[in-house]
Amino acid sequence: MNPALTQFGAQMSHLTGVRAIMKDIIETLRAGSGQEFINLSAGNPVILPEVEQLWRDCTAELLASPEYGEVVCRYGSSQGYQPLIDAVRTDFNQRYGLNLTDRNILITPGSQSIYFYAANAFGGYTTSKQLKNIVLPLSPDYTGYGGVSLIPEAVVACKPTLDIDAAAHRFKYRPDFSQLSIDQTTGCVIFSRPCNPTGNVLTDDEVKKIADLAAAFDVPVFVDSAYGPPFPSLNFTEMTPIFGGNIVHCMSLSKAGLPGERIGIAIGDEKIIQILECFQTNMCIHSPRYGQAIATRAIASGALADISINVIRPYYQSKFAIVESTLEQAMPKDLPWFLHRGEGAIFAWLWLKDLPMTDWELYQELKKVGVIVVPGSSFFPGLREDWQHKHECIRISLTATNDEIENAMKRLAQMVEKLYQSVDS
């Protein structure tokens, strides 16, 4: 059967970003013919024993409670499971000195759904046929933003400035406010903090400046805090979540050990939350309630915030340290390689300036030596400019074992050295 697709059907049935290369990665792993690969492509969090036990304990409590039937055998409110809303409100009011009410909180099936609701509620064509853009103020950023809009031309990203420490072989992306355009054509702004794929953390001042620019045009700003505090707290540098005004603070419990349950949390202005809730009602009624019920226990007890700081963060921070130290030892000092400052998330981001091939070609070459990474060009959704830098970066997952990461970085260093030497010879 070959049914005709609508414009939206064609758009949404097309894989974007990393999802588009996962098929190749899966086929490579299956057809390895005995070759062993170190897979540094994964975005799946590691199953940490302490984290798994937390969710087992919360599940046991739910199973033993009289509310089990109400949770799994009944529909619920589109806004979310009320005890979870209460737990989030209480935790954030106490932790950050806020004055949240129930109406400031929405529970969604994962944070990706928040950006889908936002992109299509505030971005795209208005009833008067005006195009409202979805602005990504810092590129590269989360690849999933490339597929959230039903109107792909609405997604517009801004080229960053590069803060380079050549002697240390480090760099950091910063928003270029001379290029950032937020005006009456802007529908909403979205960015991640900490950032997938780079580990970048925008400063408080940068976030506030973006929010102020958007507030002048009554534009909401969605801050993707899937890696931020208080859970999973995968920030390796001090950072403060920012609330209020036109900012919608968006969270996920995926990297806190519940990716299978799809729980997202949006905190923001009541009017914006209400619009997102209506969108959710029409799309899927409400988020799954089992995951919400066990999350309620983990948040209300303080166990989730505690395990995030004392187990999840140190685990990934130690993995980044291995990437960093191995590259420092194995990579030639005279080559133009630059590791992005490790400020958070579960990835490392490597820039190979003047790389004598594309990132996709490097991806293929690394497979030959048993290393799988993700080509960096997948992470520049909405960036219209033909920028060479886009094809000189790779994302490295921190989810492998210590030995695997160390061995992979050594193989990568050897490969990169040969590539640059082939150009010089």
Side-chain angles (χ1 to χ4, degrees):
M1 187 175 178
N2 189 27
L5 293 174
T6 65
Q7 176 186 347
F8 292 154
Q11 168 65 16
M12 296 309 292
S13 60
H14 175 68
L15 293 177
T16 60
V18 172
R19 293 291 177 183
I21 72 161
M22 287 310 295
K23 181 180 179 183
D24 179 75
I25 291 173
I26 291 169
E27 290 176 352
T28 298
L29 293 171
R30 285 176 178 170
S33 301
Q35 182 180 6
E36 292 187 3
F37 289 95
I38 300 175
N39 187 359
L40 302 182
S41 69
N44 245 336
V46 176
I47 301 175
L48 302 176
E50 300 94 333
V51 178
E52 181 181 7
Q53 190 60 52
L54 168 65
W55 297 120
R56 285 181 179 273
D57 292 344
C58 292
T59 297
E61 291 178 22
L62 175 62
L63 288 171
S65 76
E67 67 180 305
Y68 177 82
E70 284 292 321
V71 168
V72 301
C73 302
R74 286 191 174 280
Y75 291 112
S77 162
S78 292
Q79 186 185 356
Y81 180 56
Q82 189 60 46
L84 177 56
I85 292 171
D86 293 341
V88 170
R89 184 197 65 229
T90 299
D91 183 279
F92 276 67
N93 282 346
Q94 291 177 349
R95 190 182 301 276
Y96 299 113
L98 304 176
N99 293 298
L100 300 176
T101 71
D102 293 3
R103 300 308 302 167
N104 296 121
I105 300 167
L106 175 68
I107 312 299
T108 68
S111 60
Q112 177 84 0
S113 60
I114 300 174
Y115 313 124
F116 183 81
Y117 304 161
N120 294 290
F122 303 107
Y125 289 97
T126 67
T127 54
S128 60
K129 308 301 182 184
Q130 179 191 7
L131 179 63
K132 290 283 190 175
N133 291 322
I134 300 137
V135 173
L136 312 181
L138 188 71
S139 186
D141 209 332
Y142 176 49
T143 183
Y145 300 152
V148 293
S149 176
L150 293 170
I151 311 296
E153 63 267 29
V155 181
V156 179
C158 301
K159 182 178 171 182
T161 60
L162 276 59
D163 187 351
I164 302 171
D165 183 345
H169 291 278
R170 298 293 184 276
F171 84 110
K172 175 180 169 63
Y173 295 110
R174 296 191 184 278
D176 185 349
F177 288 98
S178 70
Q179 300 293 320
L180 179 56
S181 177
I182 298 176
D183 54 27
Q184 66 276 4
T185 67
T186 306
C188 65
V189 177
I190 305 176
F191 59 87
S192 60
R193 181 180 188 246
C195 176
N196 169 6
T198 66
N200 190 30
V201 173
L202 270 68
T203 66
D204 290 1
D205 286 344
E206 288 168 340
V207 174
K208 291 172 183 175
K209 188 169 182 178
I210 291 168
D212 288 345
L213 290 171
F217 298 94
D218 216 20
V219 168
V221 174
F222 293 83
V223 182
D224 181 349
S225 299
Y227 298 89
F231 24 80
S233 282
L234 277 165
N235 54 301
F236 306 153
T237 186
E238 285 297 320
M239 62 168 284
T240 307
I242 299 173
F243 304 92
N246 58 331
I247 293 176
V248 182
H249 182 78
C250 307
M251 302 165 56
S252 166
L253 298 189
S254 293
K255 301 308 184 290
L258 282 184
E261 288 308 305
R262 313 307 302 133
I263 299 176
I265 303 169
I267 300 174
D269 179 85
E270 180 177 337
K271 291 181 180 178
I272 297 174
I273 293 298
Q274 187 174 30
I275 291 168
L276 300 178
E277 181 185 344
C278 289
F279 210 110
Q280 176 158 281
T281 303
N282 287 319
M283 185 169 178
C284 62
I285 304 179
H286 61 71
S287 181
R289 281 159 58 85
Y290 160 76
Q292 294 186 69
I294 63 172
T296 300
R297 289 162 167 76
I299 292 172
S301 67
L304 185 56
D306 180 71
I307 211 166
S308 294
I309 293 173
N310 295 309
V311 176
I312 300 175
R313 179 195 288 165
Y315 179 87
Y316 290 103
Q317 195 164 10
S318 69
K319 300 290 184 181
F320 184 84
I322 294 171
V323 170
E324 197 169 33
S325 61
T326 307
L327 287 177
E328 286 176 349
Q329 293 168 11
M331 288 285 266
K333 296 291 188 283
D334 59 339
L335 293 185
W337 64 272
F338 302 96
L339 184 66
H340 195 283
R341 296 286 179 189
E343 298 176 333
I346 64 171
F347 306 104
W349 180 260
L350 182 64
W351 170 33
L352 300 167
K353 189 174 184 295
D354 301 322
L355 180 67
M357 59 174 55
T358 68
D359 58 323
W360 281 82
E361 290 167 336
L362 177 61
Y363 159 73
Q364 298 293 348
E365 290 298 312
L366 285 171
K367 287 197 298 184
K368 294 177 183 178
V369 296
V371 177
I372 298 177
V373 297
V374 178
S377 54
S378 304
F379 297 94
F380 292 83
L383 188 63
R384 312 292 166 78
E385 184 175 343
D386 186 16
W387 187 26
Q388 180 61 30
H389 179 88
K390 293 197 304 184
H391 308 288
E392 297 177 340
C393 301
I394 56 172
R395 189 189 78 174
I396 300 163
S397 174
L398 303 178
T399 57
T401 67
N402 292 355
D403 287 343
E404 286 174 331
I405 292 174
E406 183 176 350
N407 288 334
M409 292 305 97
K410 289 178 179 178
R411 294 182 198 178
L412 184 152
Q414 290 174 351
M415 172 66 70
V416 167
E417 185 173 15
K418 289 179 182 177
L419 291 175
Y420 281 97
Q421 284 176 344
S422 67
V423 175
D424 295 334
S425 60

